[in-house]
């Protein structure tokens, strides 16, 4: 099973997807109030090579804060 990540296109931040939940729900809950038009499912690898992408510090232990 390939894990997808959720990209907040507005902030350029990648979040872990909550697997047991349908839709675009992040593990940290940060996308709860983000419009679906700003959230994209991306593969587990680097989502976009031309964009600066940060990893959510609440979803990823080795990343900085949100």
């Amino acid at each position: 099973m390939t894990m997808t990540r959720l990209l907040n296109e507005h902030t350029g931040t990648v979040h872990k997807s909550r697997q047991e939940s349908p839709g675009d729900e992040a593990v940290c809950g940060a996308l709860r109030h983000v419009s679906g038009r700003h959230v994209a499912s991306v593969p587990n690898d680097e989502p976009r090579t031309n964009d600066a992408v940060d990893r959510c510090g609440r979803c990823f232990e080795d990343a900085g804060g949100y």
Side-chain angles (χ1 to χ4, degrees):
M1 178 164 102
T2 303
M3 174 187 246
T4 58
R5 294 184 181 177
L6 301 173
L7 174 64
N8 181 337
E9 294 180 329
H10 184 72
T11 64
T13 305
V14 174
H15 300 267
K16 283 186 181 179
S17 175
R18 185 170 294 207
Q19 296 300 314
E20 67 275 1
S21 174
D24 295 336
E25 189 174 335
V27 171
C28 67
L31 299 178
R32 243 186 333 252
H33 303 292
V34 177
S35 169
R37 68 177 180 216
H38 292 295
V39 179
S41 293
V42 294
N44 198 16
D45 53 359
E46 283 299 315
R48 300 195 178 166
T49 56
N50 295 334
D51 295 341
V53 175
D54 294 319
R55 294 175 5 141
C56 172
R58 290 183 276 175
C59 290
F60 301 96
E61 292 178 11
D62 62 346
Y66 187 79

